[in-house]
Amino acid sequence: MAFDVSKIRADFPILSQTVNGHRFVYFDNAATTQKPLPVINKITEIYTQCNANVHRGVHYMSNKATEAMEDARKTVQNFINAESEREIIFTRGATESINLVAATFGRQFLEEGDEVIVSEMEHHSNIVPWQLLESQNKAKVVKWAFDDRGELNLAELEELITDRTKLLTICYVSNTLGTINPVEQIIEIAHSHNVPVLVDASQAIQHFTIDVQQLDCDFLVFSGHKIYAPTGIGILYGKEQWLNQLPPYQGGGEMIETVSFSGTTFNKLPYKFEAGTPNYAGAIALGEALRYVSGIGLDNISKYENQLLEYATDKLQTISELRQIGTAERRASVLSFVADCAHPFDIGTILDKMGIAVRTGTHCTEPIMQHFGISGTVRASFAFYNEMEEIDILSDGLKRAIKMFK
Ligand code: PMP
């Protein structure tokens, strides 16, 4: 399919607004993405045509909602090429998915003195859950540092792995540096030491094709809202052999087989990990979002977004006052930078006055800021509905902002 951005933009009504009297330029896609009409319409359709609590009903409407939710599970399964739909757990988002693994893996497999390797470029949501285990004397968090370009060194990983290493957790793409980590090689190294790997795909799933069987990752997480679906829905993929060994995370309805005061037995996968009424509307809308993305084609998306990133990188390099943070060889859709003459927050505020939405601050990655000795960055992050012309607008806006602060 030919890639027609103006046609695509017509699917995203929010993009045609004006902000502060200017064209709305949305470059905060790493924080959350805008929603296309098929997803918005799907939410209306759910509540007008198929709303009833799932799994428990004998009636028509409950069965219709259940079928739609289970259909969405299959869509997710196909999207990441999981072997079985039992390996797809609906959660609240990447944060909940990581907490689920940390809590249950910790309870089942970790003892005092064990180690979990966590890269220095992780989002807080992939650091703090492991530190919570540390505070319970369950495991020591071992930092895998990156270099000044924002790249991890595989030889260093070999040195970090010990016979106490029980898990390695790594982002596929850094939300601050844009680095695409060589997760396939990382997993190979970890597996050669019998160490399972959790991949945080929050900033990867929307940008290129992921095949969990090819990667051979043990767990993979992402949030729906970063891939054009609503907030409050996310995915935990886990190899069935792992999920079967983990204890339940939360207790409640649907995750049980039988309950009595003399003992309770638990439901089979995936329901063992889905306590309570699930966000079935979110799950169904996520299925629709993945169909939408597949309709455009992830290969087309990757190609176009790489062009955007390249154009933006070149353009911003012509502004001598800016220093790029994160210069790894392989990057995806994220451009972070600082300027000596102005605080990121001030640059973001001026850009906002011009209708340009960027994110400023630490991006929930304070260890990255500590590594570079900075308080924050300005981050522009791109999606397939962005246009080259918008990068020109950003570049002009930055020049004006810098002129004011100098
Ligand atoms: N990991 C990464 C790399 C992220 O970028 C984010 C969101 N910024 C998260 C995890 C957490 O996602 P959520 O807040 O949707 O749970």
Side-chain angles (χ1 to χ4, degrees):
M1 186 178 114
F3 199 84
D4 183 346
V5 187
S6 60
K7 209 163 141 230
I8 282 168
R9 286 178 72 85
D11 286 338
F12 293 84
I14 199 168
L15 298 177
S16 54
Q17 286 191 28
T18 53
V19 168
N20 293 326
H22 296 273
R23 169 182 173 165
F24 177 41
V25 174
Y26 187 71
F27 282 148
D28 196 14
N29 295 288
T32 200
T33 52
Q34 301 302 346
K35 316 306 168 198
L37 280 171
V39 171
I40 297 167
N41 293 340
K42 184 52 90 176
I43 296 166
T44 306
E45 186 192 312
I46 294 161
Y47 288 118
T48 51
Q49 290 175 42
C50 96
N51 182 50
N53 206 334
V54 288
H55 296 311
R56 275 159 265 189
V58 289
H59 60 81
Y60 169 84
M61 204 52 89
S62 173
N63 286 332
K64 194 170 167 186
T66 305
E67 257 172 48
M69 177 173 159
E70 292 309 318
D71 222 47
R73 199 187 303 275
K74 287 197 192 91
T75 304
V76 177
Q77 180 202 342
N78 291 334
F79 195 78
I80 59 173
N81 194 31
E83 200 174 332
S84 156
E85 66 219 61
R86 293 185 294 280
E87 299 177 319
I88 306 297
I89 316 289
F90 286 116
T91 65
R92 200 163 55 82
T95 300
E96 188 176 56
S97 300
I98 297 168
N99 275 275
L100 189 163
V101 176
T104 59
F105 192 93
R107 228 184 308 148
Q108 189 70 15
F109 293 114
L110 299 183
E111 288 170 6
E112 193 165 356
D114 285 341
E115 294 169 356
V116 175
I117 297 177
V118 179
S119 99
E120 191 186 14
M121 67 173 81
E122 297 310 305
H123 188 274
H124 295 164
S125 62
N126 201 16
I127 299 175
V128 183
W130 309 106
Q131 288 178 328
L132 292 177
L133 287 178
E134 197 170 32
S135 68
Q136 299 160 12
N137 291 330
K138 277 289 200 178
K140 197 169 136 242
V141 173
V142 175
K143 179 177 92 175
W144 181 13
F146 59 80
D147 66 17
D148 288 346
R149 299 182 68 181
E151 288 179 342
L152 293 161
N153 182 322
L154 296 179
E156 278 173 30
L157 173 61
E158 293 272 13
E159 280 171 26
L160 285 180
I161 297 177
T162 69
D163 53 5
R164 297 309 301 264
T165 308
K166 291 288 153 66
L167 190 106
L168 183 153
T169 186
I170 179 81
C171 58
Y172 206 143
V173 173
S174 158
N175 64 307
T176 298
L177 304 170
T179 308
I180 303 176
N181 286 312
V183 289
E184 211 160 332
Q185 285 161 277
I186 292 169
I187 291 165
E188 232 178 87
I189 293 170
H191 282 181
S192 71
H193 297 272
N194 290 321
V195 174
V197 178
L198 184 152
V199 175
D200 175 1
S202 300
Q203 299 293 345
I205 192 78
Q206 64 281 52
H207 298 307
F208 48 79
T209 304
I210 292 180
D211 179 329
V212 290
Q213 292 191 69
Q214 194 186 323
L215 277 185
D216 200 25
C217 52
D218 301 276
F219 302 100
L220 181 132
V221 307
F222 65 90
S223 289
H225 71 94
K226 309 236 193 221
I227 184 160
Y228 313 101
T231 50
I233 189 73
I235 293 298
L236 165 64
Y237 157 82
K239 278 185 186 164
E240 200 166 350
Q241 77 197 66
W242 280 114
L243 294 179
N244 273 329
Q245 291 180 73
L246 298 182
Y249 178 47
Q250 295 179 323
E254 207 52 47
M255 54 73 73
I256 50 84
E257 191 180 51
T258 61
V259 178
S260 87
F261 280 96
S262 57
T264 288
T265 55
F266 302 119
N267 205 340
K268 56 187 192 312
L269 290 175
Y271 312 110
K272 182 171 93 176
F273 293 108
E274 293 181 352
T277 298
N279 181 2
Y280 54 88
I284 298 164
L286 171 59
E288 188 64 29
L290 298 186
R291 270 193 292 278
Y292 179 82
V293 166
S294 299
I296 297 170
L298 267 171
D299 288 348
N300 292 327
I301 289 173
S302 290
K303 205 166 139 208
Y304 179 68
E305 288 180 345
N306 284 339
Q307 287 166 5
L308 283 171
L309 182 65
E310 208 171 302
Y311 185 65
T313 307
D314 289 350
K315 197 99 198 177
L316 266 57
Q317 267 167 7
T318 65
I319 307 175
S320 61
E321 290 84 354
L322 299 181
R323 177 161 63 96
Q324 196 182 322
I325 301 293
T327 49
E329 202 172 309
R330 293 180 65 228
R331 289 186 303 120
S333 281
V334 168
L335 193 53
S336 261
F337 51 89
V338 291
D340 286 336
C341 59
H343 192 276
F345 179 81
D346 295 328
I347 295 177
T349 306
I350 299 292
L351 290 177
D352 177 57
K353 297 268 179 292
M354 305 174 200
I356 306 164
V358 291
R359 188 142 295 246
T360 63
T362 66
H363 320 298
C364 293
T365 55
E366 287 183 24
I368 294 182
M369 303 306 139
Q370 289 151 15
H371 180 111
F372 287 104
I374 53 179
S375 62
T377 75
V378 180
R379 181 186 71 184
S381 51
F382 311 110
F384 58 78
Y385 44 60
N386 286 127
E387 294 180 294
M388 300 292 169
E389 195 186 315
E390 291 180 299
I391 291 168
D392 295 339
I393 295 171
L394 171 68
S395 164
D396 291 345
L398 282 167
K399 283 180 193 156
R400 279 178 64 189
I402 286 164
K403 210 165 165 189
M404 285 168 68
F405 288 113
K406 275 177 100 180

